[in-house]
Every structure is written in C-alpha cells, then in structure tokens.
Amino acid sequence: MKLQSLVLAAATALTMTTAFAVPAGTWSVAAGAHYVDPKSDNGTLANGAIAVKVDGDVRPTISGEYFIANNIGIELLAAIPFHHDITLTDVATGEKLDAKTQHLPPTLSLQYHFDGYNMPMNAKPFIGVGVNYTNFFKEKLNNTTGSELKLDDSVGVAGHIGLDIPFAATEAFRIDARYMDIKTDAKLNGADIGEVDISPWVYGVAFVKQF
C-alpha cells in the first residue's frame, strides 16, 4: 500500500500545472548520506524453519539529475556499498546464526519538482517513481565452515519523495525518503532455500547543487 500511494502521488503530480521551478536542460548533483531501514518482517527460509532479520545501515550517497523538461528530471542514485548484518533464527529451537552481506542499490527515477506554493523557507517538494537494481555481494555465514550463502540480485519498483530547502540561487539542503521493493532469492551451497524480503524505506539528507 505504501508503494501504491507513492506511485499514485507521482502520477497525480505529473498531471498538475505549476510555475516552472527548474528549466529544462539543468543538471543537479546531490551529495549526502542515506539510512537503509529494512522492513520488520524479512520472511522465512527452509520452508518456514528459519526466521530472517536484516539490520539497517547508513552510507554516503550521490545522485545526479537531468531535467528533460521544466520541473521534470531523470535522477540516478548511487552509493558506496551498504553493509547488512543478518540474523537467522531456528524457529523450533531459537538458535541463532549470524550472516552478513553488502549491496549496491543504483536507482533510476523520473521526478516532478513542485513550485509556486509559497511554502516556508521557499521549500520545494518533489516526488518520483522509478526502478531499483540491487547487487548483493560478499555474503558470509559467520562461525561456519564449508557453507556458502548466496543472495541473488534484485530488480523492483522504487518510489521517492522529498523536500529541497534553498539557501542560495543554485544550492539547497535536501531531506528525502524512498521506498524500494527489494526481494532476493537465497541459496545455501547452491540450493534454493527461499526468499528474503528486505523492501526498505531509505531516509536521507544531502547538499544539492544545480548547474
């Protein structure tokens, strides 16, 4: 329902007419940090025998956006690898096994920037929708030998909403939130053992510069 609401809001925004905030042909770069906050229930593996819990992480991020039309931009988000601790719990015994992984989540979005609403501090909201590709690597089961954990890459829909607060003609402070549909098939020693549903909210702040 959260993702459906973001998509609906993005579609509504693209049909609205407002004063032009950013002209076509403008580039912007945003440098900051984001916290990946996985959903609370990350599913089970081995036919329900093992419960999965994925912890969050924060890392520096950078994004570039090109405005293909007035107020409408295409943005690419990149980051250094996020690190996640994973707790695998035997449902029957309560015994826990720790694991870890790293991932890169490049995300491409089509965004609409609002203007002309006389918001406090001349703040300008924006909203977007796009696609996320998550590449998992360096998976590891702790305190085990001879066992290999593998998480498949994921492709899913992403929603984006945020607020730019200008403090100069071409510079702004940004706060934003993204929802990413991230689900990955897990393998143990090459055998499928189920799906891990991370599907996080991603919260961030950044410095934005227009060119």
Side-chain angles (χ1 to χ4, degrees):
M1 292 299 295
K2 295 176 181 178
L3 181 58
Q4 291 175 348
S5 297
L6 283 171
V7 173
L8 179 59
T12 301
L14 291 173
T15 64
M16 296 180 65
T17 300
T18 65
F20 293 143
V22 185
T26 299
W27 283 91
S28 73
V29 175
H34 281 78
Y35 174 69
V36 174
D37 184 22
K39 61 178 294 189
S40 58
D41 180 7
N42 303 127
T44 59
L45 302 175
N47 295 318
I50 301 173
V52 182
K53 173 62 178 177
V54 181
D55 288 341
D57 189 34
V58 60
R59 283 291 186 268
T61 57
I62 189 167
S63 65
E65 185 171 9
Y66 177 72
F67 286 78
I68 59 175
N70 294 329
N71 280 356
I72 300 175
I74 296 178
E75 182 212 50
L76 178 63
L77 171 72
I80 68 172
F82 287 88
H83 297 235
H84 293 282
D85 292 325
I86 303 171
T87 302
L88 305 174
T89 304
D90 188 308
V91 174
T93 67
E95 183 179 356
K96 297 182 184 297
L97 177 64
D98 294 328
K100 61 179 61 177
T101 187
Q102 297 184 34
H103 83 265
L104 287 170
T107 303
L108 186 68
S109 301
L110 177 66
Q111 306 196 138
Y112 186 89
H113 294 251
F114 296 87
D115 192 31
Y117 291 96
N118 297 319
M119 295 185 65
M121 297 184 292
N122 199 29
K124 295 177 172 58
F126 62 88
I127 195 165
V129 64
V131 61
N132 164 261
Y133 173 78
T134 300
N135 170 235
F136 293 95
F137 58 98
K138 291 188 177 180
E139 302 95 323
K140 181 181 179 181
L141 286 168
N142 297 335
N143 303 319
T144 62
T145 57
S147 295
E148 181 182 22
L149 175 68
K150 175 63 179 175
L151 300 176
D152 288 347
D153 293 350
S154 167
V155 177
V157 176
H160 190 200
I161 190 168
L163 191 69
D164 287 339
I165 304 172
F167 56 85
T170 59
E171 298 174 351
F173 173 75
R174 172 174 293 178
I175 55 176
D176 68 343
R178 302 172 190 262
Y179 176 79
M180 297 183 179
D181 182 22
I182 302 177
K183 298 180 178 69
T184 173
D185 292 327
K187 295 183 175 65
L188 182 63
N189 298 328
D192 292 332
I193 56 173
E195 182 181 77
V196 179
D197 187 0
I198 301 174
S199 296
W201 279 94
V202 182
Y203 307 102
V205 294
F207 166 76
V208 183
K209 174 70 174 179
Q210 291 182 4
F211 300 91

